[in-house]
Amino acid sequence: MPSPLHDDVHDCTEVLRAALHANGITLPSLGVDLPGLAHPGLPPLVALGNCNTATAHKLAEALRKAAAR
């Protein structure tokens, strides 16, 4: 049976995916770090993955705008 942390990492990943999408950003490798789910003593991880420089610039710009608010 999945733990609440297991459910949370999946929910968090989807919330992050939606927030990035709302800013025109797609991280193709975004997902749950599956090996991390195998370690019950540690909190599960969200794997942000790799992106090209254009996507990294978009992400940095979105974060700068959010920080300025």
Side-chain angles (χ1 to χ4, degrees):
M1 178 173 198
S3 72
L5 288 176
H6 180 274
D7 292 339
D8 183 53
V9 73
H10 286 281
D11 292 345
C12 180
T13 301
E14 290 311 310
V15 168
L16 179 56
R17 186 183 319 280
L20 289 167
H21 180 73
N23 284 280
I25 300 167
T26 300
L27 296 178
S29 302
L30 179 65
V32 174
D33 178 63
L34 296 178
L37 290 176
H39 299 283
L42 301 173
L45 302 173
V46 174
L48 298 176
N50 299 316
C51 66
N52 60 34
T53 56
T55 301
H57 285 296
K58 280 182 163 180
L59 182 56
E61 181 61 23
L63 291 170
R64 275 194 296 274
K65 285 180 182 177
R69 290 188 213 155

Coordinates of all heavy atoms in Angstrom, one line a residue:
M1 N 0.8 -1.2 0.0 CA 0.0 0.0 0.0 C 0.9 1.3 0.0 O 1.8 1.4 0.8 CB -0.9 0.0 1.2 CG -1.8 1.2 1.4 SD -2.9 0.9 2.7 CE -4.1 2.1 2.4
P2 N 0.6 2.2 -0.9 CA 1.5 3.4 -1.0 C 1.3 4.2 0.3 O 0.3 4.3 0.9 CB 0.9 4.2 -2.2 CG 0.1 3.2 -2.9 CD -0.3 2.2 -2.0
S3 N 2.4 4.9 0.7 CA 2.4 5.7 1.9 C 1.9 7.1 1.5 O 1.9 7.5 0.3 CB 3.8 5.8 2.5 OG 4.6 6.6 1.6
P4 N 1.6 8.0 2.5 CA 1.2 9.3 2.2 C 2.3 10.1 1.4 O 2.1 10.9 0.6 CB 0.9 10.0 3.5 CG 0.6 8.8 4.4 CD 1.4 7.6 3.9
L5 N 3.6 9.8 1.8 CA 4.7 10.4 1.1 C 4.7 10.0 -0.4 O 5.0 10.8 -1.2 CB 6.0 10.1 1.8 CG 6.3 10.7 3.1 CD1 7.6 10.2 3.7 CD2 6.3 12.2 3.0
H6 N 4.4 8.8 -0.7 CA 4.4 8.3 -2.0 C 3.3 9.1 -2.8 O 3.6 9.5 -3.9 CB 4.0 6.8 -2.0 CG 4.0 6.2 -3.4 ND1 2.8 6.2 -4.1 CD2 4.9 5.5 -4.1 CE1 3.0 5.5 -5.3 NE2 4.3 5.1 -5.3
D7 N 2.1 9.2 -2.2 CA 1.1 10.0 -2.9 C 1.5 11.4 -3.1 O 1.2 12.0 -4.1 CB -0.2 9.9 -2.1 CG -0.8 8.5 -2.1 OD1 -0.5 7.7 -3.0 OD2 -1.7 8.2 -1.2
D8 N 2.1 12.0 -2.0 CA 2.5 13.4 -2.1 C 3.5 13.7 -3.2 O 3.4 14.7 -3.9 CB 3.1 13.9 -0.7 CG 3.4 15.3 -0.7 OD1 2.5 16.1 -1.1 OD2 4.5 15.7 -0.4
V9 N 4.5 12.8 -3.4 CA 5.5 13.1 -4.4 C 4.9 13.0 -5.8 O 5.2 13.8 -6.6 CB 6.7 12.1 -4.3 CG1 6.4 10.7 -4.7 CG2 7.9 12.7 -5.0
H10 N 3.9 12.2 -6.0 CA 3.2 12.2 -7.3 C 2.3 13.4 -7.5 O 2.4 14.0 -8.5 CB 2.3 10.9 -7.4 CG 3.1 9.7 -7.6 ND1 3.6 9.3 -8.9 CD2 3.5 8.7 -6.8 CE1 4.3 8.2 -8.8 NE2 4.3 7.8 -7.5
D11 N 1.6 13.8 -6.4 CA 0.8 15.0 -6.5 C 1.7 16.2 -6.7 O 1.4 17.1 -7.5 CB 0.0 15.2 -5.2 CG -1.1 14.2 -5.0 OD1 -1.4 13.5 -6.0 OD2 -1.6 14.0 -3.9
C12 N 2.8 16.3 -6.0 CA 3.7 17.5 -6.1 C 4.3 17.6 -7.5 O 4.4 18.7 -8.1 CB 4.8 17.3 -5.1 SG 6.0 18.6 -5.1
T13 N 4.6 16.4 -8.1 CA 5.1 16.4 -9.4 C 4.1 17.0 -10.4 O 4.5 17.8 -11.3 CB 5.6 15.0 -9.8 OG1 6.5 14.5 -8.9 CG2 6.1 14.9 -11.2
E14 N 2.9 16.6 -10.3 CA 1.8 17.1 -11.2 C 1.5 18.6 -11.0 O 1.3 19.3 -11.9 CB 0.6 16.2 -11.1 CG 0.8 14.8 -11.6 CD 1.4 14.8 -13.0 OE1 0.9 15.5 -13.9 OE2 2.4 14.1 -13.2
V15 N 1.6 19.0 -9.7 CA 1.4 20.5 -9.4 C 2.5 21.3 -10.1 O 2.3 22.3 -10.7 CB 1.3 20.7 -7.9 CG1 1.4 22.2 -7.6 CG2 0.0 20.1 -7.4
L16 N 3.7 20.8 -9.9 CA 4.9 21.4 -10.5 C 4.8 21.4 -12.0 O 5.0 22.5 -12.7 CB 6.2 20.8 -10.1 CG 7.5 21.4 -10.6 CD1 7.6 22.9 -10.3 CD2 8.7 20.6 -10.1
R17 N 4.4 20.3 -12.6 CA 4.2 20.2 -14.1 C 3.2 21.3 -14.6 O 3.4 22.0 -15.5 CB 3.8 18.8 -14.5 CG 3.7 18.6 -16.0 CD 3.2 17.2 -16.4 NE 3.7 16.1 -15.6 CZ 4.9 15.5 -15.7 NH1 5.7 15.9 -16.6 NH2 5.2 14.5 -15.0
A18 N 2.1 21.4 -13.9 CA 1.1 22.4 -14.2 C 1.6 23.8 -14.1 O 1.3 24.7 -15.0 CB -0.2 22.1 -13.4
A19 N 2.3 24.1 -13.0 CA 2.8 25.4 -12.8 C 3.8 25.8 -13.9 O 3.8 26.9 -14.4 CB 3.4 25.6 -11.4
L20 N 4.7 24.9 -14.2 CA 5.6 25.1 -15.3 C 4.9 25.3 -16.6 O 5.2 26.3 -17.4 CB 6.6 24.0 -15.4 CG 7.6 23.8 -14.3 CD1 8.3 22.5 -14.3 CD2 8.6 24.9 -14.3
H21 N 3.9 24.5 -16.9 CA 3.2 24.6 -18.1 C 2.5 26.0 -18.2 O 2.4 26.6 -19.3 CB 2.1 23.5 -18.2 CG 1.3 23.6 -19.5 ND1 1.8 23.2 -20.7 CD2 0.0 23.9 -19.7 CE1 0.9 23.4 -21.6 NE2 -0.2 23.8 -21.0
A22 N 2.0 26.5 -17.1 CA 1.3 27.8 -17.1 C 2.3 28.9 -17.4 O 1.9 30.0 -17.8 CB 0.7 28.1 -15.7
N23 N 3.6 28.7 -17.3 CA 4.6 29.6 -17.6 C 5.3 29.3 -19.0 O 6.3 29.8 -19.3 CB 5.7 29.7 -16.5 CG 5.2 30.5 -15.3 OD1 5.2 31.7 -15.4 ND2 4.7 29.8 -14.3
G24 N 4.7 28.4 -19.7 CA 5.2 28.0 -21.0 C 6.5 27.1 -21.0 O 7.3 27.2 -21.9
I25 N 6.7 26.4 -19.9 CA 7.9 25.6 -19.6 C 7.5 24.2 -19.6 O 6.6 23.8 -18.8 CB 8.6 26.1 -18.3 CG1 9.0 27.5 -18.4 CG2 9.8 25.2 -18.1 CD1 9.4 28.2 -17.1
T26 N 8.3 23.3 -20.3 CA 8.1 21.9 -20.2 C 9.4 21.3 -19.9 O 10.4 21.5 -20.6 CB 7.6 21.3 -21.6 OG1 6.3 21.9 -21.9 CG2 7.5 19.8 -21.5
L27 N 9.5 20.5 -18.8 CA 10.7 19.7 -18.5 C 10.4 18.3 -18.9 O 9.6 17.6 -18.1 CB 11.0 19.8 -17.0 CG 11.4 21.2 -16.5 CD1 11.7 21.2 -15.0 CD2 12.6 21.8 -17.3
P28 N 10.8 17.8 -20.0 CA 10.5 16.5 -20.5 C 10.8 15.4 -19.5 O 10.1 14.3 -19.5 CB 11.3 16.3 -21.8 CG 11.7 17.7 -22.2 CD 11.8 18.5 -20.9
S29 N 11.8 15.5 -18.7 CA 12.2 14.4 -17.8 C 11.6 14.6 -16.4 O 11.9 13.8 -15.5 CB 13.7 14.4 -17.7 OG 14.3 14.3 -18.9
L30 N 10.7 15.5 -16.2 CA 10.1 15.7 -14.9 C 9.3 14.5 -14.5 O 8.5 14.0 -15.3 CB 9.1 16.9 -14.9 CG 8.4 17.3 -13.7 CD1 9.4 17.7 -12.6 CD2 7.4 18.4 -13.9
G31 N 9.6 14.0 -13.3 CA 8.9 12.8 -12.8 C 9.3 12.5 -11.4 O 10.0 13.2 -10.8
V32 N 8.8 11.4 -10.9 CA 9.1 10.9 -9.6 C 10.4 10.1 -9.7 O 10.6 9.3 -10.7 CB 8.0 10.0 -9.1 CG1 8.4 9.3 -7.8 CG2 6.7 10.8 -8.9
D33 N 11.4 10.3 -8.8 CA 12.6 9.5 -8.8 C 12.3 8.1 -8.3 O 12.1 8.0 -7.0 CB 13.6 10.2 -7.9 CG 14.9 9.5 -7.8 OD1 15.6 9.3 -8.8 OD2 15.2 9.0 -6.7
L34 N 12.1 7.2 -9.2 CA 11.7 5.8 -8.7 C 12.7 5.1 -7.8 O 12.2 4.5 -6.8 CB 11.4 5.0 -10.0 CG 10.3 5.5 -10.9 CD1 10.1 4.6 -12.1 CD2 9.0 5.6 -10.1
P35 N 14.0 5.2 -8.0 CA 14.9 4.6 -7.0 C 14.7 5.2 -5.6 O 14.8 4.4 -4.6 CB 16.3 4.9 -7.5 CG 16.1 5.0 -9.0 CD 14.8 5.7 -9.1
G36 N 14.3 6.4 -5.5 CA 14.1 7.0 -4.2 C 12.9 6.5 -3.5 O 12.8 6.5 -2.2
L37 N 11.9 5.9 -4.2 CA 10.8 5.3 -3.6 C 11.1 4.0 -2.9 O 10.4 3.6 -2.0 CB 9.7 5.1 -4.6 CG 9.0 6.3 -5.2 CD1 8.0 5.9 -6.3 CD2 8.3 7.1 -4.1
A38 N 12.2 3.4 -3.2 CA 12.7 2.2 -2.7 C 13.3 2.3 -1.3 O 13.6 1.4 -0.6 CB 13.6 1.5 -3.6
H39 N 13.5 3.6 -0.9 CA 14.2 3.8 0.4 C 13.2 4.4 1.4 O 13.0 5.6 1.5 CB 15.4 4.8 0.2 CG 16.4 4.3 -0.7 ND1 17.3 3.3 -0.2 CD2 16.7 4.5 -1.9 CE1 18.1 3.0 -1.2 NE2 17.8 3.7 -2.3
P40 N 12.5 3.6 2.1 CA 11.4 4.0 3.0 C 11.8 5.0 4.1 O 11.0 5.7 4.6 CB 10.8 2.7 3.6 CG 11.8 1.7 3.4 CD 12.7 2.1 2.2
G41 N 13.1 5.0 4.4 CA 13.6 5.9 5.5 C 13.8 7.3 5.0 O 14.0 8.3 5.8
L42 N 13.8 7.6 3.7 CA 14.1 8.9 3.1 C 12.8 9.4 2.4 O 12.1 8.6 1.9 CB 15.2 8.8 2.2 CG 16.6 8.3 2.7 CD1 17.6 8.1 1.6 CD2 17.1 9.3 3.7
P43 N 12.7 10.7 2.4 CA 11.5 11.3 1.6 C 11.7 11.1 0.1 O 12.9 11.1 -0.3 CB 11.5 12.7 2.0 CG 12.8 13.1 2.5 CD 13.4 11.8 3.1
P44 N 10.7 10.7 -0.6 CA 10.8 10.6 -2.0 C 11.2 11.9 -2.7 O 11.0 13.0 -2.2 CB 9.5 10.1 -2.5 CG 8.5 10.2 -1.4 CD 9.3 10.5 -0.1
L45 N 11.9 11.7 -3.9 CA 12.4 12.9 -4.6 C 11.6 13.1 -5.9 O 11.1 12.2 -6.5 CB 13.8 12.7 -4.9 CG 14.8 12.5 -3.8 CD1 16.2 12.1 -4.3 CD2 14.8 13.7 -2.9
V46 N 11.5 14.4 -6.3 CA 11.0 14.7 -7.6 C 12.2 14.9 -8.5 O 13.1 15.7 -8.2 CB 10.2 16.0 -7.6 CG1 9.8 16.5 -9.0 CG2 9.0 15.9 -6.7
A47 N 12.3 14.2 -9.6 CA 13.4 14.3 -10.5 C 13.0 15.4 -11.6 O 12.1 15.2 -12.3 CB 13.6 12.9 -11.2
L48 N 13.8 16.4 -11.5 CA 13.6 17.5 -12.5 C 14.1 17.2 -13.9 O 13.6 17.7 -14.8 CB 14.2 18.8 -11.9 CG 13.6 19.3 -10.6 CD1 14.3 20.6 -10.1 CD2 12.1 19.6 -10.7
G49 N 15.1 16.4 -13.9 CA 15.7 16.0 -15.2 C 16.5 17.0 -15.9 O 16.9 18.0 -15.4
N50 N 16.7 16.8 -17.2 CA 17.5 17.6 -18.0 C 16.6 18.5 -18.9 O 15.5 18.2 -19.2 CB 18.4 16.8 -18.9 CG 19.3 15.9 -18.2 OD1 19.9 16.4 -17.2 ND2 19.4 14.7 -18.5
C51 N 17.2 19.7 -19.3 CA 16.5 20.5 -20.3 C 17.5 21.3 -21.1 O 18.7 21.4 -20.7 CB 15.5 21.5 -19.5 SG 16.4 22.7 -18.5
N52 N 17.1 21.8 -22.2 CA 18.0 22.5 -23.1 C 18.2 24.0 -22.5 O 17.5 24.4 -21.6 CB 17.5 22.5 -24.5 CG 16.2 23.1 -24.7 OD1 15.8 24.1 -24.0 ND2 15.4 22.6 -25.7
T53 N 19.1 24.7 -23.1 CA 19.3 26.1 -22.6 C 18.1 27.0 -22.7 O 17.9 27.9 -21.9 CB 20.6 26.7 -23.2 OG1 20.4 26.7 -24.6 CG2 21.8 25.9 -22.8
A54 N 17.4 26.9 -23.8 CA 16.2 27.7 -24.0 C 15.2 27.5 -22.9 O 14.7 28.5 -22.3 CB 15.5 27.4 -25.3
T55 N 15.0 26.3 -22.5 CA 14.1 26.0 -21.4 C 14.7 26.5 -20.0 O 13.9 27.0 -19.2 CB 13.8 24.4 -21.3 OG1 13.2 24.0 -22.5 CG2 12.9 24.1 -20.2
A56 N 15.9 26.3 -19.8 CA 16.6 26.8 -18.6 C 16.4 28.3 -18.5 O 16.2 28.9 -17.4 CB 18.1 26.4 -18.6
H57 N 16.6 29.0 -19.6 CA 16.4 30.5 -19.6 C 14.9 30.9 -19.3 O 14.7 31.8 -18.5 CB 16.8 31.1 -21.0 CG 18.3 31.2 -21.2 ND1 19.1 32.0 -20.4 CD2 19.1 30.6 -22.1 CE1 20.3 31.9 -20.8 NE2 20.3 31.0 -21.8
K58 N 14.0 30.1 -19.8 CA 12.6 30.4 -19.5 C 12.3 30.2 -18.0 O 11.6 30.9 -17.4 CB 11.7 29.5 -20.3 CG 11.4 29.8 -21.7 CD 10.5 28.8 -22.4 CE 9.8 29.3 -23.6 NZ 8.9 28.3 -24.2
L59 N 12.8 29.1 -17.5 CA 12.6 28.8 -16.1 C 13.3 29.8 -15.2 O 12.6 30.3 -14.3 CB 13.3 27.4 -15.8 CG 13.1 26.9 -14.4 CD1 11.7 26.8 -13.9 CD2 13.7 25.5 -14.3
A60 N 14.5 30.3 -15.5 CA 15.1 31.3 -14.8 C 14.3 32.6 -14.8 O 14.1 33.3 -13.8 CB 16.5 31.6 -15.3
E61 N 13.8 33.0 -16.0 CA 13.0 34.2 -16.1 C 11.7 34.1 -15.3 O 11.3 35.1 -14.6 CB 12.7 34.5 -17.6 CG 11.8 35.7 -17.8 CD 12.5 37.0 -17.4 OE1 13.8 37.0 -17.3 OE2 11.8 38.0 -17.2
A62 N 11.0 33.0 -15.3 CA 9.8 32.8 -14.6 C 10.1 32.9 -13.1 O 9.3 33.5 -12.3 CB 9.2 31.4 -14.9
L63 N 11.2 32.4 -12.6 CA 11.6 32.5 -11.2 C 11.9 33.9 -10.8 O 11.6 34.4 -9.7 CB 12.7 31.5 -10.9 CG 12.4 30.0 -10.9 CD1 13.6 29.2 -10.9 CD2 11.4 29.7 -9.9
R64 N 12.6 34.6 -11.7 CA 13.0 36.0 -11.4 C 11.7 36.9 -11.3 O 11.6 37.7 -10.4 CB 13.8 36.6 -12.5 CG 15.3 36.3 -12.4 CD 16.2 37.2 -13.3 NE 15.9 36.9 -14.7 CZ 16.5 36.0 -15.4 NH1 17.4 35.2 -14.8 NH2 16.2 35.8 -16.7
K65 N 10.7 36.6 -12.2 CA 9.5 37.4 -12.2 C 8.7 37.1 -10.9 O 8.2 38.0 -10.2 CB 8.6 37.0 -13.4 CG 9.1 37.7 -14.6 CD 8.2 37.3 -15.8 CE 8.6 37.9 -17.1 NZ 7.8 37.4 -18.2
A66 N 8.7 35.8 -10.5 CA 8.0 35.4 -9.3 C 8.7 36.0 -8.0 O 8.0 36.5 -7.1 CB 7.9 33.9 -9.1
A67 N 10.0 36.1 -8.0 CA 10.7 36.6 -6.9 C 10.5 38.1 -6.7 O 10.6 38.7 -5.6 CB 12.2 36.3 -7.0
A68 N 10.3 38.8 -7.9 CA 10.1 40.2 -7.9 C 8.7 40.7 -7.3 O 8.5 41.8 -7.0 CB 10.3 40.8 -9.3
R69 N 7.8 39.7 -7.2 CA 6.4 40.1 -6.7 C 6.4 40.3 -5.3 O 7.0 39.8 -4.5 CB 5.5 38.9 -7.1 CG 5.2 38.9 -8.5 CD 4.1 37.9 -8.8 NE 4.3 37.2 -10.1 CZ 3.9 36.1 -10.4 NH1 3.2 35.3 -9.6 NH2 4.2 35.6 -11.6

